[in-house]
Amino acid sequence: MQVESDKELEQIFIKLRNRWKKETFILSSSTKITRNENYQSIIQLGVRALPLILKDLEETSSFWFEALEALTGLNLVPEEYWGNIPKMTQIWVDW
């Protein structure tokens, strides 16, 4: 997806994020949550979306971990903390 300005990127991110959250808020399966087309479209925004994702993660603890790994190529969360959303969130926010 070609995005010219930071403002345009933020507007697209907010639109996709809101749709993603609306469509997945009742789901418990992380696979279904992260396979949602809006979530995948956010990943397609590329690394410029990282600050927006990290901000939303810090504010809402939404399940951004797969997107963060896809965009950074990093797996920061040790296996012992998998499933511990507050700890996983803190690790990424501290990054």
Side-chain angles (χ1 to χ4, degrees):
M1 181 178 299
Q2 183 69 25
V3 179
E4 298 298 322
S5 71
D6 290 342
K7 185 67 176 167
E8 182 184 7
L9 176 75
E10 184 176 12
Q11 290 170 344
I12 292 168
F13 173 82
I14 290 169
K15 183 172 96 176
L16 292 169
R17 180 205 60 199
N18 290 347
R19 278 196 227 153
W20 167 62
K21 289 184 177 187
K22 182 179 179 184
E23 293 173 8
T24 63
F25 80 97
I26 62 169
L27 301 176
S28 60
S29 165
S30 61
T31 301
K32 288 182 179 179
I33 291 168
T34 60
R35 295 295 176 252
N36 177 275
E37 67 181 310
N38 297 295
Y39 190 93
Q40 293 299 312
S41 292
I42 289 169
I43 292 172
Q44 293 304 310
L45 293 174
V47 295
R48 288 179 55 206
L50 279 172
L52 299 168
I53 292 170
L54 288 166
K55 181 180 180 211
D56 190 77
L57 176 65
E58 185 172 23
E59 293 173 354
T60 68
S61 296
S62 293
F63 202 87
W64 287 115
F65 311 110
E66 188 170 314
L68 289 165
E69 288 183 26
L71 290 169
T72 65
L74 301 172
N75 183 359
L76 298 180
V77 179
E79 190 173 343
E80 65 203 61
Y81 295 126
W82 292 358
N84 183 337
I85 302 302
K87 186 66 175 174
M88 294 169 68
T89 297
Q90 193 60 53
I91 289 169
W92 275 102
V93 169
D94 288 348
W95 175 73

Coordinates of all heavy atoms in Angstrom, one line a residue:
M1 N 0.8 -1.2 0.0 CA 0.0 0.0 0.0 C 0.9 1.2 0.0 O 1.7 1.4 0.9 CB -0.9 0.0 1.3 CG -1.8 1.1 1.4 SD -2.9 1.0 2.8 CE -3.8 -0.5 2.5
Q2 N 0.7 2.1 -1.0 CA 1.5 3.3 -1.1 C 0.9 4.4 -0.3 O -0.3 4.8 -0.5 CB 1.6 3.7 -2.6 CG 2.5 4.9 -2.8 CD 3.9 4.7 -2.6 OE1 4.4 3.5 -2.7 NE2 4.7 5.7 -2.3
V3 N 1.6 4.9 0.7 CA 1.1 6.0 1.6 C 2.2 7.1 1.5 O 3.3 6.9 1.7 CB 1.0 5.5 3.0 CG1 0.5 6.6 3.9 CG2 0.0 4.3 3.1
E4 N 1.7 8.3 1.2 CA 2.6 9.4 1.0 C 3.0 10.1 2.3 O 4.2 10.2 2.7 CB 2.0 10.5 0.1 CG 1.7 9.9 -1.3 CD 3.0 9.5 -2.0 OE1 4.0 10.1 -1.9 OE2 2.9 8.5 -2.7
S5 N 2.1 10.6 3.1 CA 2.4 11.4 4.3 C 2.1 10.6 5.6 O 1.4 9.6 5.6 CB 1.5 12.7 4.3 OG 0.2 12.3 4.6
D6 N 2.8 11.1 6.6 CA 2.6 10.5 7.9 C 1.1 10.6 8.4 O 0.6 9.7 9.0 CB 3.5 11.1 9.0 CG 5.0 10.8 8.8 OD1 5.2 9.8 8.1 OD2 5.8 11.5 9.3
K7 N 0.5 11.8 8.1 CA -0.9 12.0 8.4 C -1.8 11.0 7.7 O -2.7 10.4 8.3 CB -1.3 13.4 8.1 CG -2.7 13.8 8.5 CD -2.8 13.8 10.0 CE -4.2 14.3 10.4 NZ -4.4 14.0 11.9
E8 N -1.5 10.8 6.4 CA -2.3 9.8 5.7 C -2.1 8.4 6.3 O -3.1 7.6 6.4 CB -1.9 9.8 4.2 CG -2.7 8.9 3.4 CD -2.2 8.8 1.9 OE1 -1.2 9.4 1.6 OE2 -2.9 8.1 1.1
L9 N -0.9 8.1 6.6 CA -0.6 6.8 7.2 C -1.4 6.6 8.5 O -2.0 5.6 8.8 CB 0.9 6.6 7.5 CG 1.3 5.4 8.2 CD1 1.3 4.2 7.3 CD2 2.7 5.5 8.8
E10 N -1.4 7.6 9.4 CA -2.1 7.6 10.6 C -3.6 7.4 10.4 O -4.3 6.6 11.1 CB -1.8 8.8 11.5 CG -2.5 8.8 12.8 CD -2.2 10.0 13.7 OE1 -1.6 11.0 13.2 OE2 -2.5 9.9 14.9
Q11 N -4.2 8.1 9.4 CA -5.6 8.0 9.1 C -5.9 6.5 8.7 O -6.9 6.0 9.1 CB -6.0 9.0 8.1 CG -6.0 10.4 8.6 CD -6.2 11.4 7.5 OE1 -6.1 11.2 6.3 NE2 -6.5 12.7 7.9
I12 N -5.1 6.0 7.8 CA -5.3 4.6 7.3 C -5.2 3.6 8.5 O -6.0 2.7 8.6 CB -4.4 4.3 6.2 CG1 -4.7 5.1 4.9 CG2 -4.4 2.8 5.8 CD1 -3.7 5.1 3.8
F13 N -4.2 3.8 9.3 CA -4.0 2.9 10.4 C -5.2 2.9 11.3 O -5.7 1.9 11.7 CB -2.7 3.3 11.2 CG -2.5 2.6 12.5 CD1 -2.0 1.3 12.5 CD2 -3.0 3.1 13.7 CE1 -1.8 0.6 13.7 CE2 -2.8 2.4 14.9 CZ -2.3 1.2 14.9
I14 N -5.7 4.1 11.7 CA -6.8 4.2 12.6 C -8.0 3.6 12.0 O -8.7 2.8 12.7 CB -7.1 5.7 12.9 CG1 -6.0 6.3 13.8 CG2 -8.4 5.9 13.6 CD1 -6.0 7.8 14.0
K15 N -8.3 3.8 10.7 CA -9.4 3.1 10.1 C -9.3 1.6 10.1 O -10.3 0.9 10.5 CB -9.5 3.6 8.6 CG -10.8 3.1 7.9 CD -10.9 3.8 6.6 CE -10.2 2.9 5.5 NZ -10.4 3.4 4.1
L16 N -8.2 1.1 9.8 CA -7.9 -0.4 9.8 C -8.0 -0.9 11.2 O -8.6 -2.0 11.4 CB -6.6 -0.7 9.1 CG -6.5 -0.5 7.6 CD1 -5.1 -0.6 7.1 CD2 -7.4 -1.4 6.8
R17 N -7.3 -0.2 12.1 CA -7.3 -0.7 13.5 C -8.7 -0.7 14.1 O -9.1 -1.7 14.7 CB -6.5 0.3 14.4 CG -6.4 -0.1 15.8 CD -6.1 1.0 16.8 NE -7.2 2.0 16.6 CZ -7.0 3.3 17.0 NH1 -5.8 3.7 17.5 NH2 -8.0 4.2 16.9
N18 N -9.5 0.3 13.8 CA -10.9 0.3 14.4 C -11.7 -0.8 13.8 O -12.5 -1.5 14.5 CB -11.6 1.7 14.1 CG -10.9 2.8 15.0 OD1 -10.2 2.5 15.9 ND2 -11.2 4.0 14.6
R19 N -11.6 -1.1 12.5 CA -12.3 -2.2 11.9 C -11.9 -3.5 12.4 O -12.7 -4.4 12.7 CB -12.1 -2.2 10.3 CG -13.0 -1.3 9.6 CD -12.9 -1.7 8.1 NE -12.7 -0.5 7.3 CZ -12.2 -0.4 6.1 NH1 -11.7 -1.5 5.6 NH2 -12.1 0.7 5.5
W20 N -10.5 -3.7 12.6 CA -10.0 -4.9 13.1 C -10.5 -5.2 14.5 O -11.0 -6.3 14.8 CB -8.4 -4.8 13.2 CG -7.8 -5.9 14.0 CD1 -7.8 -7.2 13.8 CD2 -7.0 -5.7 15.1 NE1 -7.1 -7.9 14.7 CE2 -6.5 -7.0 15.6 CE3 -6.5 -4.6 15.8 CZ2 -5.7 -7.1 16.7 CZ3 -5.7 -4.7 16.9 CH2 -5.3 -6.0 17.4
K21 N -10.5 -4.2 15.4 CA -11.0 -4.3 16.8 C -12.5 -4.6 16.8 O -12.9 -5.5 17.6 CB -10.6 -3.1 17.6 CG -9.1 -3.0 17.9 CD -8.8 -1.9 18.8 CE -7.3 -1.9 19.1 NZ -6.9 -0.9 20.1
K22 N -13.2 -4.0 15.9 CA -14.7 -4.2 15.9 C -15.0 -5.6 15.4 O -15.9 -6.3 16.0 CB -15.3 -3.2 14.9 CG -16.8 -3.3 14.8 CD -17.4 -2.3 13.9 CE -18.9 -2.5 13.8 NZ -19.6 -1.6 12.9
E23 N -14.2 -6.1 14.5 CA -14.5 -7.4 13.9 C -14.0 -8.6 14.7 O -14.4 -9.7 14.6 CB -13.9 -7.5 12.5 CG -14.6 -6.6 11.5 CD -13.9 -6.6 10.1 OE1 -13.0 -7.4 9.9 OE2 -14.4 -5.7 9.3
T24 N -13.0 -8.3 15.7 CA -12.4 -9.4 16.4 C -12.6 -9.3 17.9 O -12.1 -10.2 18.6 CB -10.9 -9.4 16.1 OG1 -10.3 -8.2 16.5 CG2 -10.6 -9.6 14.6
F25 N -13.3 -8.3 18.4 CA -13.3 -8.2 19.9 C -13.9 -9.3 20.6 O -13.6 -9.6 21.8 CB -14.0 -6.8 20.3 CG -15.5 -6.9 20.2 CD1 -16.2 -7.1 21.4 CD2 -16.2 -6.7 19.0 CE1 -17.6 -7.1 21.3 CE2 -17.5 -6.7 19.0 CZ -18.3 -6.9 20.1
I26 N -14.8 -10.1 20.0 CA -15.4 -11.3 20.7 C -14.6 -12.6 20.5 O -14.9 -13.6 21.1 CB -16.8 -11.5 20.2 CG1 -16.9 -11.8 18.7 CG2 -17.7 -10.3 20.5 CD1 -18.2 -12.3 18.2
L27 N -13.5 -12.5 19.7 CA -12.7 -13.7 19.4 C -11.7 -14.0 20.5 O -11.1 -13.0 21.1 CB -12.0 -13.6 18.1 CG -12.9 -13.4 16.8 CD1 -12.0 -13.2 15.6 CD2 -13.8 -14.5 16.6
S28 N -11.5 -15.3 20.8 CA -10.4 -15.6 21.8 C -9.2 -16.3 21.1 O -8.2 -16.4 21.6 CB -11.0 -16.6 22.8 OG -11.5 -17.8 22.2
S29 N -9.4 -16.6 19.8 CA -8.3 -17.3 19.1 C -7.4 -16.2 18.5 O -7.7 -15.4 17.7 CB -8.9 -18.1 17.9 OG -7.9 -18.4 17.0
S30 N -6.1 -16.3 19.0 CA -5.1 -15.3 18.5 C -4.9 -15.5 17.0 O -4.6 -14.5 16.2 CB -3.8 -15.4 19.2 OG -3.2 -16.7 19.1
T31 N -5.0 -16.7 16.5 CA -4.9 -16.9 15.1 C -6.0 -16.2 14.3 O -5.7 -15.5 13.3 CB -4.9 -18.5 14.8 OG1 -3.9 -19.1 15.5 CG2 -4.8 -18.7 13.3
K32 N -7.2 -16.3 14.7 CA -8.3 -15.6 14.0 C -8.2 -14.1 14.1 O -8.5 -13.4 13.2 CB -9.7 -16.1 14.5 CG -10.0 -17.5 14.1 CD -11.4 -17.9 14.6 CE -11.7 -19.3 14.2 NZ -13.0 -19.8 14.7
I33 N -7.7 -13.6 15.3 CA -7.5 -12.2 15.5 C -6.5 -11.7 14.5 O -6.6 -10.6 13.9 CB -7.1 -11.9 17.0 CG1 -8.3 -12.2 17.9 CG2 -6.6 -10.5 17.2 CD1 -8.0 -12.3 19.4
T34 N -5.4 -12.4 14.4 CA -4.3 -11.9 13.6 C -4.4 -12.2 12.1 O -3.7 -11.6 11.3 CB -2.9 -12.4 14.1 OG1 -2.9 -13.8 14.0 CG2 -2.6 -11.9 15.5
R35 N -5.3 -13.1 11.7 CA -5.5 -13.4 10.3 C -6.6 -12.5 9.7 O -6.8 -12.5 8.5 CB -5.9 -14.8 10.1 CG -4.9 -15.8 10.5 CD -3.7 -15.7 9.6 NE -2.6 -16.6 10.0 CZ -1.5 -16.3 10.6 NH1 -1.2 -15.0 10.9 NH2 -0.6 -17.2 11.0
N36 N -7.2 -11.6 10.5 CA -8.2 -10.7 10.0 C -7.6 -9.8 8.9 O -6.4 -9.4 9.1 CB -8.7 -9.8 11.2 CG -9.6 -8.8 10.8 OD1 -9.2 -7.7 10.4 ND2 -10.9 -9.1 10.9
E37 N -8.3 -9.5 7.9 CA -7.8 -8.8 6.8 C -7.3 -7.4 7.1 O -6.4 -6.9 6.6 CB -8.8 -8.7 5.6 CG -10.1 -7.9 6.0 CD -11.1 -7.9 4.8 OE1 -10.7 -7.6 3.7 OE2 -12.2 -8.1 5.1
N38 N -8.0 -6.7 8.1 CA -7.5 -5.4 8.5 C -6.2 -5.4 9.2 O -5.3 -4.6 9.0 CB -8.6 -4.8 9.4 CG -9.9 -4.6 8.6 OD1 -10.0 -3.8 7.7 ND2 -10.9 -5.3 9.0
Y39 N -6.0 -6.5 10.1 CA -4.7 -6.7 10.8 C -3.6 -6.9 9.8 O -2.5 -6.3 9.8 CB -4.8 -7.9 11.7 CG -3.7 -8.1 12.7 CD1 -3.8 -7.5 14.0 CD2 -2.6 -8.8 12.3 CE1 -2.7 -7.7 14.9 CE2 -1.6 -9.1 13.2 CZ -1.7 -8.5 14.5 OH -0.6 -8.7 15.4
Q40 N -3.9 -7.7 8.8 CA -2.9 -8.0 7.7 C -2.6 -6.8 6.9 O -1.5 -6.5 6.5 CB -3.4 -9.2 6.9 CG -3.4 -10.5 7.6 CD -2.1 -10.9 8.1 OE1 -1.1 -10.9 7.4 NE2 -2.0 -11.3 9.4
S41 N -3.6 -5.9 6.7 CA -3.4 -4.7 5.9 C -2.5 -3.7 6.7 O -1.7 -3.0 6.1 CB -4.7 -4.0 5.6 OG -5.4 -4.8 4.7
I42 N -2.7 -3.7 8.0 CA -1.8 -2.9 8.9 C -0.3 -3.3 8.7 O 0.6 -2.5 8.6 CB -2.3 -2.9 10.3 CG1 -3.6 -2.1 10.5 CG2 -1.2 -2.3 11.3 CD1 -4.3 -2.3 11.8
I43 N -0.1 -4.6 8.7 CA 1.2 -5.1 8.5 C 1.8 -4.7 7.2 O 3.0 -4.3 7.1 CB 1.3 -6.7 8.7 CG1 1.0 -7.1 10.1 CG2 2.6 -7.2 8.2 CD1 0.8 -8.6 10.3
Q44 N 0.9 -4.7 6.2 CA 1.3 -4.3 4.8 C 1.7 -2.8 4.8 O 2.4 -2.3 3.8 CB 0.2 -4.6 3.8 CG 0.0 -6.0 3.6 CD 1.3 -6.8 3.2 OE1 2.0 -6.4 2.3 NE2 1.6 -7.9 3.9
L45 N 1.3 -2.0 5.8 CA 1.7 -0.6 5.8 C 3.2 -0.5 6.0 O 3.8 0.6 5.7 CB 1.0 0.2 6.9 CG -0.5 0.3 6.8 CD1 -1.1 1.0 8.0 CD2 -0.8 1.2 5.5
G46 N 3.8 -1.5 6.5 CA 5.3 -1.5 6.7 C 5.8 -0.9 8.0 O 5.0 -0.6 8.9
V47 N 7.1 -0.7 8.1 CA 7.7 -0.3 9.3 C 7.3 1.1 9.7 O 7.4 1.4 10.9 CB 9.3 -0.4 9.2 CG1 9.7 -1.9 9.1 CG2 9.8 0.4 8.1
R48 N 6.8 1.9 8.8 CA 6.4 3.2 9.2 C 5.2 3.1 10.2 O 4.9 4.1 10.9 CB 6.0 4.0 8.0 CG 7.2 4.5 7.2 CD 6.8 5.3 6.0 NE 6.0 6.4 6.3 CZ 5.2 7.0 5.4 NH1 5.0 6.4 4.2 NH2 4.4 8.0 5.7
A49 N 4.5 2.0 10.2 CA 3.4 1.8 11.1 C 3.8 1.5 12.6 O 3.0 1.5 13.5 CB 2.4 0.8 10.6
L50 N 5.1 1.1 12.7 CA 5.6 0.7 14.0 C 5.2 1.6 15.2 O 4.7 1.2 16.2 CB 7.1 0.4 14.0 CG 7.4 -1.0 13.5 CD1 8.9 -1.1 13.3 CD2 6.9 -2.1 14.3
P51 N 5.5 2.9 15.1 CA 5.2 3.8 16.2 C 3.7 3.9 16.5 O 3.3 3.9 17.7 CB 5.7 5.2 15.7 CG 6.7 4.9 14.6 CD 6.2 3.6 14.0
L52 N 2.9 3.7 15.5 CA 1.4 3.7 15.7 C 1.0 2.4 16.4 O 0.2 2.5 17.4 CB 0.7 3.9 14.4 CG 1.0 5.2 13.6 CD1 0.4 5.1 12.2 CD2 0.4 6.4 14.4
I53 N 1.6 1.3 16.0 CA 1.3 0.1 16.7 C 1.7 0.1 18.1 O 1.0 -0.3 19.0 CB 1.9 -1.1 15.9 CG1 1.2 -1.3 14.5 CG2 1.8 -2.4 16.7 CD1 1.9 -2.2 13.6
L54 N 3.0 0.5 18.3 CA 3.5 0.5 19.7 C 2.7 1.5 20.6 O 2.5 1.2 21.8 CB 5.0 0.9 19.7 CG 5.9 -0.1 19.1 CD1 7.3 0.5 18.9 CD2 6.0 -1.3 20.1
K55 N 2.3 2.6 20.1 CA 1.4 3.5 20.9 C 0.1 2.9 21.3 O -0.3 2.9 22.4 CB 1.2 4.8 20.1 CG 0.3 5.8 20.8 CD 0.1 7.1 20.0 CE -0.7 8.0 20.8 NZ -1.6 8.9 20.0
D56 N -0.5 2.2 20.3 CA -1.8 1.5 20.6 C -1.6 0.4 21.6 O -2.4 0.2 22.5 CB -2.4 1.0 19.3 CG -3.9 0.5 19.5 OD1 -4.7 1.4 19.6 OD2 -4.0 -0.7 19.6
L57 N -0.5 -0.3 21.4 CA -0.2 -1.4 22.3 C -0.1 -0.9 23.7 O -0.6 -1.5 24.7 CB 1.1 -2.1 21.9 CG 1.6 -3.2 22.8 CD1 0.7 -4.4 22.8 CD2 3.0 -3.7 22.4
E58 N 0.7 0.2 23.9 CA 0.9 0.8 25.2 C -0.4 1.2 25.8 O -0.7 1.1 27.0 CB 1.9 1.9 25.1 CG 2.2 2.5 26.5 CD 3.3 3.5 26.4 OE1 3.6 4.1 25.3 OE2 4.0 3.7 27.5
E59 N -1.3 1.8 25.0 CA -2.6 2.3 25.5 C -3.6 1.3 25.7 O -4.5 1.5 26.6 CB -3.1 3.4 24.5 CG -2.2 4.6 24.5 CD -2.6 5.6 23.4 OE1 -3.6 5.3 22.6 OE2 -2.0 6.7 23.3
T60 N -3.6 0.2 25.0 CA -4.8 -0.7 25.0 C -4.4 -2.2 25.2 O -5.3 -3.0 25.4 CB -5.6 -0.7 23.7 OG1 -4.8 -1.2 22.6 CG2 -6.0 0.7 23.3
S61 N -3.1 -2.5 25.2 CA -2.7 -3.9 25.3 C -3.3 -4.8 24.3 O -3.5 -6.0 24.5 CB -2.9 -4.5 26.7 OG -2.1 -3.8 27.6
S62 N -3.7 -4.3 23.1 CA -4.2 -5.1 22.0 C -3.2 -6.1 21.5 O -2.0 -5.9 21.7 CB -4.7 -4.2 20.9 OG -5.8 -3.5 21.3
F63 N -3.6 -7.1 20.8 CA -2.7 -8.2 20.4 C -2.0 -7.8 19.1 O -2.3 -8.3 18.0 CB -3.6 -9.5 20.2 CG -2.7 -10.7 20.3 CD1 -2.5 -11.3 21.5 CD2 -2.1 -11.3 19.1 CE1 -1.7 -12.5 21.6 CE2 -1.3 -12.4 19.2 CZ -1.1 -13.0 20.4
W64 N -0.9 -7.0 19.3 CA -0.1 -6.6 18.2 C 1.2 -7.4 18.0 O 2.0 -7.0 17.2 CB 0.3 -5.1 18.4 CG -0.8 -4.1 18.2 CD1 -1.4 -3.3 19.2 CD2 -1.5 -3.8 17.0 NE1 -2.4 -2.5 18.6 CE2 -2.4 -2.9 17.2 CE3 -1.4 -4.3 15.7 CZ2 -3.3 -2.3 16.3 CZ3 -2.2 -3.8 14.7 CH2 -3.1 -2.8 15.0
F65 N 1.4 -8.4 18.8 CA 2.7 -9.1 18.9 C 3.1 -9.7 17.6 O 4.2 -9.6 17.2 CB 2.7 -10.1 20.0 CG 2.1 -9.5 21.3 CD1 0.9 -9.9 21.8 CD2 2.9 -8.5 21.9 CE1 0.4 -9.3 23.0 CE2 2.4 -7.9 23.1 CZ 1.2 -8.3 23.6
E66 N 2.2 -10.3 16.9 CA 2.5 -10.9 15.6 C 2.9 -9.9 14.6 O 3.8 -10.0 13.8 CB 1.3 -11.8 15.1 CG 1.7 -12.6 13.9 CD 0.7 -13.6 13.5 OE1 0.2 -14.3 14.4 OE2 0.4 -13.7 12.3
A67 N 2.2 -8.7 14.6 CA 2.5 -7.7 13.7 C 3.9 -7.1 14.0 O 4.7 -6.8 13.0 CB 1.4 -6.6 13.8
L68 N 4.2 -6.9 15.2 CA 5.5 -6.4 15.6 C 6.6 -7.3 15.2 O 7.6 -6.9 14.7 CB 5.5 -6.2 17.1 CG 4.7 -5.0 17.6 CD1 4.5 -5.1 19.1 CD2 5.3 -3.7 17.2
E69 N 6.4 -8.6 15.4 CA 7.4 -9.6 14.9 C 7.5 -9.6 13.4 O 8.7 -9.6 12.9 CB 7.0 -11.0 15.4 CG 7.2 -11.2 16.9 CD 6.9 -12.6 17.4 OE1 7.1 -13.5 16.6 OE2 6.6 -12.7 18.6
A70 N 6.4 -9.5 12.7 CA 6.5 -9.5 11.2 C 7.2 -8.3 10.7 O 8.0 -8.4 9.8 CB 5.1 -9.5 10.7
L71 N 7.0 -7.1 11.4 CA 7.6 -5.9 10.9 C 9.0 -5.7 11.3 O 9.8 -5.0 10.6 CB 6.8 -4.7 11.3 CG 5.4 -4.6 10.7 CD1 4.5 -3.5 11.4 CD2 5.5 -4.2 9.2
T72 N 9.4 -6.3 12.4 CA 10.8 -6.0 12.9 C 11.7 -7.2 12.7 O 12.9 -7.1 12.7 CB 10.8 -5.8 14.4 OG1 10.3 -7.0 15.1 CG2 10.0 -4.6 14.8
G73 N 11.1 -8.4 12.5 CA 11.9 -9.6 12.4 C 12.4 -10.1 13.7 O 13.3 -11.0 13.8
L74 N 11.9 -9.5 14.8 CA 12.4 -9.8 16.1 C 11.3 -10.6 16.9 O 10.1 -10.3 16.7 CB 12.7 -8.5 16.9 CG 13.8 -7.6 16.3 CD1 13.8 -6.3 17.1 CD2 15.1 -8.3 16.3
N75 N 11.8 -11.5 17.7 CA 10.9 -12.2 18.7 C 11.4 -11.9 20.1 O 12.3 -12.6 20.6 CB 10.9 -13.7 18.4 CG 10.0 -14.5 19.3 OD1 9.3 -13.9 20.2 ND2 9.9 -15.8 19.1
L76 N 11.0 -10.8 20.6 CA 11.5 -10.3 21.9 C 11.0 -11.0 23.1 O 11.6 -11.0 24.2 CB 11.2 -8.8 22.1 CG 11.8 -7.8 21.0 CD1 11.4 -6.4 21.3 CD2 13.3 -7.9 21.0
V77 N 9.9 -11.7 23.0 CA 9.2 -12.3 24.2 C 9.7 -13.7 24.4 O 9.5 -14.6 23.6 CB 7.7 -12.2 24.0 CG1 7.0 -12.9 25.2 CG2 7.2 -10.8 23.8
P78 N 10.4 -13.9 25.5 CA 10.8 -15.3 25.9 C 9.6 -16.2 26.0 O 8.5 -15.8 26.4 CB 11.5 -15.1 27.2 CG 11.8 -13.7 27.3 CD 10.8 -13.0 26.6
E79 N 9.8 -17.4 25.7 CA 8.7 -18.4 25.7 C 8.0 -18.5 27.0 O 6.8 -18.6 27.1 CB 9.2 -19.8 25.3 CG 8.1 -20.8 25.1 CD 8.7 -22.1 24.6 OE1 9.8 -22.2 24.1 OE2 7.9 -23.1 24.6
E80 N 8.7 -18.2 28.1 CA 8.1 -18.3 29.4 C 7.0 -17.2 29.7 O 6.2 -17.3 30.6 CB 9.2 -18.2 30.5 CG 9.9 -16.8 30.5 CD 11.2 -16.8 31.1 OE1 12.1 -17.5 30.6 OE2 11.4 -16.1 32.1
Y81 N 7.0 -16.2 28.8 CA 6.1 -15.1 29.0 C 4.9 -15.2 27.9 O 4.1 -14.3 27.9 CB 6.7 -13.7 28.9 CG 7.7 -13.5 30.0 CD1 9.0 -13.1 29.8 CD2 7.3 -13.6 31.4 CE1 9.9 -12.9 30.9 CE2 8.1 -13.4 32.4 CZ 9.4 -13.0 32.2 OH 10.3 -12.8 33.2
W82 N 5.0 -16.1 27.0 CA 3.9 -16.3 26.0 C 2.6 -16.4 26.7 O 2.4 -17.2 27.7 CB 4.2 -17.5 25.1 CG 5.3 -17.3 24.2 CD1 6.2 -16.3 24.1 CD2 5.8 -18.3 23.3 NE1 7.1 -16.5 23.1 CE2 7.0 -17.8 22.6 CE3 5.4 -19.6 23.0 CZ2 7.7 -18.5 21.7 CZ3 6.1 -20.3 22.0 CH2 7.2 -19.7 21.4
G83 N 1.6 -15.6 26.3 CA 0.3 -15.7 26.9 C 0.1 -14.7 28.1 O -1.0 -14.4 28.5
N84 N 1.2 -14.1 28.6 CA 1.2 -13.1 29.6 C 1.1 -11.8 29.0 O 2.2 -11.1 28.7 CB 2.4 -13.3 30.5 CG 2.4 -12.3 31.7 OD1 1.8 -11.3 31.7 ND2 3.1 -12.7 32.8
I85 N -0.1 -11.3 28.6 CA -0.2 -10.1 27.8 C 0.4 -8.9 28.5 O 1.1 -8.1 27.8 CB -1.7 -9.9 27.5 CG1 -2.3 -11.1 26.7 CG2 -1.9 -8.6 26.6 CD1 -1.6 -11.5 25.4
P86 N 0.2 -8.7 29.8 CA 0.9 -7.5 30.4 C 2.4 -7.5 30.2 O 3.0 -6.5 29.9 CB 0.4 -7.5 31.8 CG -0.9 -8.3 31.8 CD -0.7 -9.3 30.7
K87 N 3.0 -8.7 30.4 CA 4.4 -8.8 30.3 C 4.9 -8.7 28.9 O 5.9 -8.0 28.6 CB 4.9 -10.2 30.9 CG 6.4 -10.3 31.0 CD 7.0 -9.3 32.0 CE 8.5 -9.6 32.1 NZ 9.1 -8.6 33.0
M88 N 4.2 -9.3 28.0 CA 4.5 -9.2 26.6 C 4.4 -7.7 26.1 O 5.3 -7.2 25.4 CB 3.6 -10.1 25.7 CG 3.8 -11.6 26.0 SD 2.4 -12.6 25.2 CE 2.8 -12.3 23.5
T89 N 3.4 -7.0 26.5 CA 3.2 -5.6 26.2 C 4.4 -4.8 26.7 O 5.0 -4.0 26.0 CB 1.9 -5.1 26.8 OG1 0.8 -5.8 26.2 CG2 1.7 -3.6 26.6
Q90 N 4.8 -5.0 28.0 CA 5.8 -4.3 28.6 C 7.2 -4.5 27.9 O 7.9 -3.5 27.6 CB 6.0 -4.6 30.1 CG 6.9 -3.6 30.8 CD 6.3 -2.2 30.8 OE1 5.2 -2.0 31.1 NE2 7.1 -1.3 30.3
I91 N 7.4 -5.7 27.5 CA 8.7 -6.0 26.7 C 8.7 -5.2 25.4 O 9.8 -4.6 25.1 CB 8.8 -7.5 26.5 CG1 9.1 -8.2 27.8 CG2 9.9 -7.8 25.4 CD1 9.0 -9.8 27.7
W92 N 7.6 -5.2 24.7 CA 7.6 -4.5 23.4 C 7.7 -3.0 23.6 O 8.3 -2.2 22.9 CB 6.5 -4.9 22.6 CG 6.7 -6.1 21.8 CD1 6.3 -7.4 22.0 CD2 7.6 -6.2 20.6 NE1 6.8 -8.2 21.1 CE2 7.6 -7.5 20.2 CE3 8.3 -5.3 19.9 CZ2 8.3 -8.0 19.1 CZ3 9.0 -5.7 18.7 CH2 9.0 -7.0 18.4
V93 N 6.9 -2.5 24.6 CA 6.9 -1.0 24.9 C 8.3 -0.5 25.3 O 8.7 0.5 24.9 CB 5.8 -0.7 25.9 CG1 5.9 0.8 26.4 CG2 4.4 -0.9 25.3
D94 N 9.0 -1.3 26.1 CA 10.3 -1.0 26.5 C 11.3 -1.0 25.4 O 12.4 -0.4 25.5 CB 10.8 -1.9 27.7 CG 10.1 -1.7 29.0 OD1 9.4 -0.6 29.1 OD2 10.2 -2.5 29.9
W95 N 11.0 -1.8 24.4 CA 11.9 -1.9 23.2 C 12.1 -0.6 22.5 O 13.1 -0.1 22.2 CB 11.4 -3.0 22.2 CG 12.2 -3.1 21.0 CD1 13.4 -3.7 20.8 CD2 11.8 -2.7 19.7 NE1 13.8 -3.7 19.5 CE2 12.8 -3.0 18.8 CE3 10.7 -2.0 19.2 CZ2 12.7 -2.7 17.4 CZ3 10.6 -1.7 17.8 CH2 11.6 -2.1 16.9

